[in-house]
Amino acid sequence: MNFQEVMALAKRRGILQPAYEPYGGVAGFLDYGPVGVRLRRKITELWRKHFVLGFGALEIDSALIGPEPLFRASGHLSEFDDLLVECLECNKLYRADLLVEGEGTLDRRILADAVAGKKCESCGGKFDVPRPFNLMFSTSLGAGRGTPGYLRPETAQGIFQAFPWLLRQNRGKLPLAAAQVGRAFRNEIAPRQGPLRLREFTQLELEHFFLPGAEPEIPKRLAKMEVRLVPVNGSAGTETIADLVKEDVIGSSLVASYIACAWKFITACGVPAGKLRFRQHGKHEMAHYSSECWDGEVETSTGWVEVVGIAHRSDYDLKAHGKASSREFRAPVPGTGKKINTWLPDKGAIGQKFKSEAASVLEQLVEGAAPGVEVGVSGTTHALGREYFRRVSATEPEMIYPHVVEPSFGLDRLLYCILETTWRSEGDRGWLALPEMLSPYYMLIAPLMARDGLDEKAREIHAAAMFDGVDVFYDEKGSIGRRYARADEIGISRACTVDYQTLEDKTVTIRDRDSTEQQRVSIDSIF
RNA sequence: GCGGGCGUAGUGUAGUCUGGUAUCACCGAGGCUUCCCAAGCCUCUAACCCGGGUUCGAAUCCCGGCGCCCGCACCA
């Protein structure tokens, strides 16, 4: 199927459609329907298995709107708040700050003036007036003018700002993995291609924190995996993930772990391994925070679609939030705790002795002052003995900003890629060959015909299944073949058919979606 | 944002040039029939993206908006 066919299927079968259809639609937003919601949940559950359970991640669900200082710290405010100019002749768009050489961030007005004197680099035409452009949606918090707020452009910042809390939840121990599923918002200039480029999208994200020098090893279950890599320099043969790290093709063992895990997960979603690759970002392509990045890409009719980015963000984010908030975002380095014995002034003793002069005395006691130190009080000099000090010992470990590796999935894109790559057709028959785990319903329940009590029996089985919490789909309309076809199109992996024999011996047939083969089994054994 | 193409039932389409309320198929709904793979028959639901203009009359021509596709640019 090509893009249009996938979208037609998606709309016809209740997977997804453009949002706000009655109002002409708004580019970059989607509605997910009954089947789409189920598929998203199934994919998310499978992701949880691989990433949250696989790496013992702590899950959080952070707020969608954040205050301005948060995004100033994260760099999103400045990185996205560009001044754009357009050539009046050839309509090329440029970033004003890139046209004007020289020192980094210039004032808006200075930039605008500087650009006014420039001409288009490709055609020599004149420029339009520069216009500001910010990729974050802004809003205001509270009444009146309010305070500025922004819809988060990535779920990651929610994790980073909660790091001190999370670290405490983890009893101060690193490494620590935190995961979040949620929506993120980017005001794309030209959203296109439905679920592939949205203004509101869902991220499945994990942030794995560790101390530099104590980066987690590749788990045994992943080390021997082979994946298809497209490194920036040269090419990679078929080697295990572990060897690729040894040879420095992948610069980080944790990045390698997540590439392997992502490979497992994406192929478990039904995407053929032959249509999957991990491509390394070049320097210029990398985000402002990132030091190494690999994109997991799936080959589709529209080209290679990025479904996951695996980035080494170093200590960029925690450092930024630590500095901006002046809270502690560092973590102690184990084994570096030095026992430090110091003398602290005994304020009680000093106060009783020197009364109103006590404050002056304390002021004279610089850090490190010890018994025997001399202070001047009202023109005379006193030597302070032990009785004015307390012996205190403390253990102060070295504090350091943890580094972080982030695998971040775009759920909407992944769903699209799954739909396109799992589609199979044979003659008139077409079906989504979804893996069992992603089947939107556990099974189809259908009477062979809606008469002779077959329908009642089927409804009975359906009701019993629902009562037990088994998610099944009931259908009695049309010929049995048509109902199989309907179920096939949304990838329901099996069908239970109630026929005349069912009424006699309490058996039903179970039809497999991919092979269409049927087996007769007892009703009691189907759930 | 720019340039080009496009916008007709849920889906895919004919009709647009040459103005007269819309074709066909699938899907969906109801019924008949049917003992396992979109069968057949009957019936039904359902559309000209939105707004303005020209005209006796606009799906059709013109303008604007919105949306979609391609290219440019942008894309943490």
Side-chain angles (χ1 to χ4, degrees), chain A residues 85-106:
Chain A
V85 282
E86 186 177 349
C87 170
L88 288 167
E89 302 288 325
C90 67
N91 300 311
K92 274 201 172 178
L93 266 181
Y94 294 92
R95 266 171 58 181
D97 59 330
L98 296 183
L99 283 174
V100 181
E101 292 146 41
E103 41 275 58
T105 38
L106 287 167

Side-chain angles (χ1 to χ4, degrees), chain A residues 154-191:
Chain A
E154 58 173 11
T155 53
Q157 296 308 324
I159 295 180
F160 294 137
Q161 62 84 33
F163 176 76
W165 186 43
L166 288 167
L167 185 60
R168 215 171 312 134
Q169 298 313 308
N170 210 40
R171 300 188 192 168
K173 290 272 193 301
L174 285 176
L176 181 174
Q180 171 158 231
V181 175
R183 304 247 179 175
F185 304 83
R186 296 176 192 178
N187 198 1
E188 295 284 351
I189 307 172

Side-chain angles (χ1 to χ4, degrees), chain A residues 391-445:
Chain A
R391 188 70 171 152
V392 172
S393 64
T395 310
E396 282 183 3
E398 190 190 342
M399 298 296 281
I400 192 165
Y401 285 107
H403 283 214
V404 67
V405 165
E406 162 198 278
S408 172
F409 282 86
L411 176 58
D412 313 85
R413 289 175 169 192
L414 180 58
L415 172 57
Y416 174 85
C417 291
I418 292 170
L419 292 179
E420 190 183 309
T421 60
T422 60
W423 181 257
R424 305 283 180 274
S425 61
E426 238 170 55
D428 283 346
R429 203 169 89 83
W431 73 99
L432 279 181
L434 295 174
E436 171 89 49
M437 289 275 310
L438 297 191
S439 175
Y441 293 88
Y442 177 71
M443 64 167 53
L444 164 74
I445 301 214

Side-chain angles (χ1 to χ4, degrees), chain A residues 22-306:
Chain A
Y23 292 93
V26 181
F29 298 93
L30 290 180
D31 289 336
Y32 284 91
V35 177
V37 169
R38 284 190 154 80
L39 290 175
R40 279 163 61 92
R41 185 178 300 127
K42 297 289 177 133
I43 295 169
T44 304
E45 278 168 11
L46 191 56
W47 173 82
R48 279 195 77 240
K49 235 182 178 171
H50 281 84
F51 287 88
V52 176
L53 303 184
F55 287 87
L58 307 177
E59 288 174 285
I60 78 162
D61 192 343
S62 65
L64 270 68
I65 293 177
E68 189 165 271
L70 175 80
F71 296 116
R72 191 177 299 130
S74 70
H76 288 97
L77 207 57
S78 57
E79 282 294 315
F80 292 171
D81 198 27
D82 294 329
L83 215 51
L84 296 182
V85 282
E86 186 177 349
C87 170
L88 288 167
E89 302 288 325
C90 67
N91 300 311
K92 274 201 172 178
L93 266 181
Y94 294 92
R95 266 171 58 181
D97 59 330
L98 296 183
L99 283 174
V100 181
E101 292 146 41
E103 41 275 58
T105 38
L106 287 167
D107 182 79
R108 273 273 165 86
R109 248 176 251 160
I110 300 171
L111 253 183
D113 290 346
V115 168
K118 298 260 174 189
K119 289 197 169 164
C120 174
E121 286 170 6
S122 74
C123 78
K126 282 188 176 174
F127 283 125
D128 199 356
V129 287
R131 291 171 222 281
F133 178 72
N134 194 323
L135 229 58
M136 281 195 295
F137 287 101
S138 62
T139 183
S140 87
L141 314 178
R145 249 174 301 146
T147 38
Y150 298 88
L151 271 70
R152 61 186 184 191
E154 58 173 11
T155 53
Q157 296 308 324
I159 295 180
F160 294 137
Q161 62 84 33
F163 176 76
W165 186 43
L166 288 167
L167 185 60
R168 215 171 312 134
Q169 298 313 308
N170 210 40
R171 300 188 192 168
K173 290 272 193 301
L174 285 176
L176 181 174
Q180 171 158 231
V181 175
R183 304 247 179 175
F185 304 83
R186 296 176 192 178
N187 198 1
E188 295 284 351
I189 307 172
R192 260 178 215 181
Q193 297 182 306
L196 301 185
R197 191 136 165 231
L198 292 165
R199 288 186 167 131
E200 175 181 345
F201 53 98
T202 298
Q203 292 187 304
L204 308 175
E205 203 158 66
L206 189 144
E207 306 291 340
H208 202 137
F209 301 96
F210 56 93
L211 289 170
E215 187 169 342
E217 301 278 302
I218 305 175
K220 266 190 192 146
R221 66 179 196 280
L222 300 173
K224 294 238 169 94
M225 283 189 58
E226 289 177 14
V227 300
R228 184 174 164 205
L229 288 190
V230 183
V232 164
N233 298 316
S235 58
T238 48
E239 287 164 275
T240 64
I241 274 284
D243 286 341
L244 288 164
V245 173
K246 252 180 234 155
E247 290 161 27
D248 217 25
V249 177
I250 302 173
S252 140
S253 58
L254 203 48
V255 167
S257 299
Y258 282 112
I259 289 177
C261 186
W263 185 278
K264 251 185 144 170
F265 165 60
I266 295 168
T267 52
C269 285
V271 175
K275 296 195 172 181
L276 181 59
R277 72 176 186 191
F278 278 82
R279 189 179 60 82
Q280 187 175 25
H281 276 204
K283 264 230 162 75
H284 58 285
E285 202 183 348
M286 226 127 50
H288 62 271
Y289 50 67
S290 172
S291 61
E292 181 180 7
C293 184
W294 295 79
D295 277 351
E297 300 177 326
V298 176
E299 192 175 17
T300 71
S301 60
T302 65
W304 290 93
V305 172
E306 176 199 342

